[in-house]
Amino acid sequence: LFAFGGVRVLVACLPAGFPRAAEIRLDSGVFAFTLGVAVFTGLLFGLAPALTASRADLQHNLREGGRGTTASGHHASLRSAMVVGESALACVLLIGAGLLLHSFVNLLRADPGFRAQQVLTASVSLPGEQYRDGAQRTRFFTNLIDTLQHSSGIAAAGVGSDLPWTGYDENLGGWAIEGRSDEYNSKTTARYHAASPDYFRALGIPFLRGRSFDGRDTHDSPHVVVINESMANHYWPGEDAVGKRISFEDHPKADKDWIRIVGIVKDVKDQPDSAGLRAAFWMPYTQFQDRRYSVVVRFTSAPSAAAAQLRQAVRQLDADLAIGELRFMDQIADEAFSGHRFALYLVALFALVALALATFGMYGVISYSVNRRMSEFGLRMALGARPWDLQRMIVGQGLALAALGAAIGLAAAIAFGRLLSNLLYGVRATDPITLSAVALLAIVTAAVACALPARRATGADPLRSLRSE
């Protein structure tokens, strides 16, 4: 019954685009398999104690257990080993969940290079038959931007070949840098994009130096680019890259073969968990003349009003044209985090289940031990032991088991930490804060599990224990 609801919750938490998510369900085959495993496990772990009991040596048990005041040493060791194993497994999973949580917090705190709030995006694709000419396509998008910028509640509007964190950007390798032999260098690489002048302002990408595109950058004017900070620092270290020129020609000779850098913008991360920042540049959309662009609108009005204005602006220019992928930028950003969020949810769920099993196991072992030793506790109290002494002894027994399990779990987590390294951001698999927090949680949980049995031990009757002896 829990699985029927749990599967629905897990499916709802799946990252966007997860393959065949609609087919994930608890069907008869899964139920039969689970039932078979449960029955087999019950038979296996019920049969082993039964066989052991049938071959029991009565005299040995009497010598070892006295009058029932203490448990069999072999059985007590076995139960303790099971608790240690449960604690170790819980610690491994808790460490994994803690590392993923720490990583997720780091991702949320990292500066993406743009501001996703109050930004509406959409995709506009022009039909090839009606918009064959590049100048015609440029004119459409120029009119669209102009219409949006003159609409109420719109702070900035622009178009770009792609959007951050959508995976549409491409690598471009090979160009010449003026003054460095002026020859094509295949080792130079960068992400390339196209954008309108206000694309950067609409996305909140700040300019560091130079200018954005403007009316001077037409299809027939000298070609220009805006580059990011990483590209400037990598290829022009210690220099101002604004005004430098690059070329995509093998052997640039004429002045028209060169492209001038007119501005430098702050780095935008390729993905939230990108380990490093990549070189990137943008060309004016007027010199790129593509049929498809992503429209970016920074609005100050209600989101629904901004969406209506965008639809109306497109309809005014072409009544037969439809917009696609209408989304808010913060939704795109949220989807980019979905994979990390789901991994965190999944590991945290298993960690909590393992912690619950370890807690119940600890409680069961300590409670069973207390029940078998009530006569002993009565004798101790008759000889002058205080209730606090008994509680400290019993809780200490549980803490010793928990500490051993935590030590084994910490060692295992460190040994297998590399398996999680690809999912972590800004935190090492051996993060001391996470390891210490999990160890402390294991100790505190064990103390809580032992508290009730320890309190029950203080209720032992000294007179009854003396009479039984």
Side-chain angles (χ1 to χ4, degrees):
L1 292 176
F2 177 78
F4 274 110
V7 167
R8 290 189 176 93
V9 173
L10 286 177
V11 170
C13 296
L14 286 175
F18 193 89
R20 305 177 67 178
E23 301 177 27
I24 300 176
R25 63 186 185 279
L26 187 65
D27 58 14
S28 57
V30 174
F31 178 76
F33 173 80
T34 306
L35 181 62
V37 170
V39 172
F40 175 76
T41 304
L43 290 174
L44 177 64
F45 287 90
L47 185 61
L51 293 176
T52 302
S54 65
R55 296 193 301 266
D57 185 344
L58 183 58
Q59 293 184 358
H60 173 74
N61 287 342
L62 288 175
R63 288 195 302 269
E64 189 179 52
R67 298 186 179 180
T69 58
T70 60
S72 167
H74 171 72
H75 291 167
S77 299
L78 181 60
R79 286 190 294 272
S80 298
M82 292 178 63
V83 171
V84 169
E86 289 175 339
S87 299
L89 178 60
C91 283
V92 171
L93 292 172
L94 284 170
I95 289 171
L99 291 173
L100 289 176
L101 177 60
H102 195 168
S103 176
F104 190 70
V105 171
N106 289 340
L107 283 174
L108 294 177
R109 290 178 176 175
D111 182 9
F114 63 93
R115 292 184 291 113
Q117 295 76 22
Q118 298 291 104
V119 176
L120 177 68
T121 69
S123 174
V124 176
S125 297
L126 302 179
E129 295 183 0
Q130 290 89 341
Y131 297 89
R132 295 180 180 179
D133 183 59
Q136 188 181 14
R137 296 195 291 266
T138 299
R139 186 164 51 251
F140 173 89
F141 285 109
T142 300
N143 292 334
L144 176 61
I145 295 170
D146 185 66
T147 302
L148 289 171
Q149 287 180 333
H150 286 85
S151 301
S152 61
I154 303 298
V159 298
S161 57
D162 49 62
L163 298 169
W165 296 2
T166 57
Y168 292 156
D169 48 357
E170 298 290 344
N171 276 321
L172 181 65
W175 64 76
I177 299 177
E178 188 178 24
R180 302 181 189 177
S181 76
D182 294 351
E183 293 183 359
Y184 184 89
N185 185 352
S186 61
K187 295 182 179 180
T188 53
T189 59
R191 302 278 196 188
Y192 73 91
H193 316 265
S196 68
D198 261 4
Y199 171 87
F200 305 100
R201 191 160 69 94
L203 276 176
I205 302 174
F207 266 81
L208 303 178
R209 290 187 297 279
R211 66 172 178 88
S212 180
F213 307 127
D214 55 30
R216 292 171 287 179
D217 306 314
T218 65
H219 182 264
D220 299 322
S221 66
H223 287 199
V224 296
V225 293
V226 168
I227 67 174
N228 70 345
E229 188 177 10
S230 288
M231 183 171 176
N233 293 337
H234 183 75
Y235 294 105
W236 293 274
E239 303 178 58
D240 187 0
V242 175
K244 305 295 185 181
R245 298 201 302 178
I246 62 175
S247 176
F248 301 123
E249 302 293 332
D250 289 346
H251 296 280
K253 297 179 180 179
D255 192 63
K256 65 179 180 62
D257 295 335
W258 292 100
I259 303 173
R260 186 175 300 277
I261 299 171
V262 296
I264 303 174
V265 296
K266 188 175 181 179
D267 289 322
V268 176
K269 301 180 67 175
D270 291 342
Q271 293 293 333
D273 58 349
S274 296
L277 296 167
R278 303 282 300 276
F281 64 87
W282 288 261
M283 300 172 285
Y285 82 109
T286 53
Q287 297 174 357
F288 197 66
Q289 296 187 328
D290 198 4
R291 291 193 304 107
R292 179 198 173 279
Y293 280 104
S294 295
V295 183
V296 185
V297 176
R298 179 168 292 279
F299 56 89
T300 57
S301 58
S304 57
Q309 288 174 323
L310 176 56
R311 292 191 181 95
Q312 183 180 0
V314 173
R315 194 180 303 114
Q316 287 177 355
L317 297 174
D318 190 335
D320 297 327
L321 199 61
I323 61 175
E325 300 179 353
L326 186 65
R327 295 184 294 175
F328 294 99
M329 196 63 209
D330 50 6
Q331 291 177 321
I332 295 176
D334 185 67
E335 291 176 3
F337 288 110
S338 60
H340 295 274
R341 187 185 300 110
F342 180 71
L344 172 61
Y345 288 165
L346 200 60
V347 175
L349 174 63
F350 285 117
L352 291 176
V353 172
L355 181 63
L357 291 175
T359 303
F360 292 144
M362 178 73 70
Y363 172 81
V365 167
I366 300 301
S367 181
Y368 180 79
S369 175
V370 167
N371 290 338
R372 295 291 301 268
R373 299 170 62 187
M374 289 298 286
S375 295
E376 174 194 340
F377 296 144
L379 290 174
R380 288 178 179 272
M381 294 183 68
L383 295 175
R386 296 169 299 177
W388 167 248
D389 296 326
L390 297 181
Q391 291 180 357
R392 183 176 57 184
M393 179 180 64
I394 295 169
V395 173
Q397 177 188 352
L399 293 181
L401 297 178
L404 179 58
I408 296 174
L410 292 176
I414 293 173
F416 295 103
R418 288 176 294 180
L419 298 177
L420 275 178
S421 58
N422 292 334
L423 295 174
L424 301 180
Y425 176 83
V427 59
R428 296 180 301 171
T430 56
D431 176 52
I433 296 177
T434 304
L435 299 181
S436 302
V438 169
L440 179 62
L441 178 61
I443 299 300
V444 171
T445 304
V448 173
C450 298
L452 186 59
R455 185 176 180 180
R456 189 166 63 247
T458 60
D461 187 355
L463 294 178
R464 183 177 179 182
S465 296
L466 289 173
R467 285 197 298 268
S468 63
E469 291 295 328

